[in-house]
Amino acid sequence: MNPIVKTPNLDRKPSSLRYYQEGPPKSVDLNTWRLSVTGLVDKKLSFTYQDLLEMPQIEESRRMVCVCNWSIRRTWKGVLLSNIIEMAGVSHPEKYYLKQTSIGTKEKGVYESTIPLGDALSRRALIVHSVDGEPLPMEQGYPVRLFDFGLYGYKNVKGLAQLEVTEEYQIGEWERRAGYDINGIVRPKKYWIVDLKKWRFVEKPGEVTEF
Ligand SMILES: Nc1nc2c(c(=O)[nH]1)N[C@H]1C(S)=C(S)[C@@H](COP(=O)(O)O)O[C@H]1N2
Ligand SMILES: [Mo]
């Protein structure tokens, strides 16, 4: 196995708490937490944390981009969304959307985001449980977070509890309030690259793979 390179300049990453709408849950009990998969599926599923750890694992360095013009490349580990969708049985994923819902908090409710399912699968979206070889910190999405790296961070729900396959491309509360585009595709422009400590221009829309 490749040694995991810790993300350089991590101390310079903008705070995860700044735009955490519902806030991280105070704690998550893995004995009761489940990732449920519902909606237009052949088989409804419910995964424990252990179930996810026992599936084929993917560990790769990929770049996440925030709509507020910064980006960080880190080593993420988890399972392929496609693996989960295959188990649930969805015959034409390109026709559907995937609505993600967070665990949320009593005080502030849940965070939701809907993404095109076919696009997420073709971009090898991950259900991430670890970063740089350690479980995701609570404020970064413990126990799991969905990542479609072609989309801005606001499309990728932290503290994930539910995935629902749906026909409806539904705008999220945060998208409505902040005026963000529902599609959330990373746009070509200049970003502050935290790990490289410099500004770089991204030339193409979607996942940043050039650097
Ligand atoms: N559950 C949940 N997930 C969320 C959010 C949120 O408020 N709640 N905010 C989104 C936004 S707006 C951003 S910019 C990223 C921040 O991710 P980070 O903590 O890895 O920096 O999380 C996204 N996922
Ligand atoms: Mo954000």
Side-chain angles (χ1 to χ4, degrees):
M1 219 174 81
N2 296 329
I4 291 152
V5 179
K6 299 279 175 198
T7 306
N9 309 312
L10 190 55
D11 56 310
R12 308 285 293 274
K13 177 191 172 299
S15 164
S16 289
L17 296 175
R18 220 155 98 189
Y19 302 104
Y20 212 139
Q21 294 307 292
E22 77 280 38
K26 280 193 194 72
S27 66
V28 176
D29 181 358
L30 289 184
N31 294 310
T32 53
W33 175 86
R34 297 288 182 274
L35 175 63
S36 69
V37 184
T38 66
L40 305 170
V41 294
D42 288 344
K43 219 167 99 194
K44 292 192 162 88
L45 300 173
S46 172
F47 294 89
T48 65
Y49 192 71
Q50 192 59 34
D51 291 338
L52 295 173
L53 295 183
E54 284 166 11
M55 288 172 66
Q57 302 291 300
I58 303 288
E59 185 160 45
E60 50 197 20
S61 163
R62 296 176 76 175
R63 183 167 289 291
M64 81 88 93
V65 185
C66 182
V67 70
C68 26
N69 299 329
W70 59 268
S71 169
I72 195 164
R73 175 180 284 281
R74 309 196 67 184
T75 301
W76 311 94
K77 186 173 184 182
V79 304
L80 281 171
L81 174 65
S82 62
N83 211 328
I84 284 174
I85 294 299
E86 270 161 30
M87 289 170 78
V90 180
S91 38
H92 292 282
E94 66 286 354
K95 289 204 291 208
Y96 299 111
Y97 299 92
L98 189 67
K99 179 176 175 179
Q100 317 155 50
T101 306
S102 74
I103 302 165
T105 61
K106 243 194 224 116
E107 300 74 32
K108 296 192 178 161
V110 296
Y111 184 91
E112 293 165 341
S113 155
T114 304
I115 62 176
L117 178 55
D119 293 353
L121 296 176
S122 66
R123 288 192 284 250
R124 286 170 47 82
L126 298 178
I127 304 293
V128 165
H129 57 69
S130 296
V131 62
D132 288 359
E134 305 281 347
L136 283 176
M138 196 67 101
E139 67 279 4
Q140 275 168 36
Y142 182 86
V144 301
R145 175 177 187 179
L146 185 141
F147 259 115
D148 176 336
F149 292 94
L151 306 180
Y152 285 128
Y154 69 87
K155 297 299 296 184
N156 300 326
V157 171
K158 305 196 275 194
L160 194 60
Q162 192 185 316
L163 295 173
E164 183 190 353
V165 176
T166 159
E167 276 174 315
E168 207 192 331
Y169 201 7
Q170 194 183 82
I171 193 164
E173 168 69 12
W174 183 228
E175 284 152 34
R176 187 170 9 241
R177 278 207 288 156
Y180 295 152
D181 199 310
I182 190 174
N183 84 45
I185 294 175
V186 173
R187 297 187 186 166
K189 59 177 168 176
K190 229 166 80 178
Y191 295 92
W192 175 253
I193 310 300
V194 174
D195 47 296
L196 302 178
K197 251 193 194 167
K198 60 171 114 161
W199 290 92
R200 290 283 307 254
F201 198 88
V202 166
E203 307 279 350
K204 290 183 303 192
E207 182 168 357
V208 182
T209 54
E210 307 83 72
F211 55 88

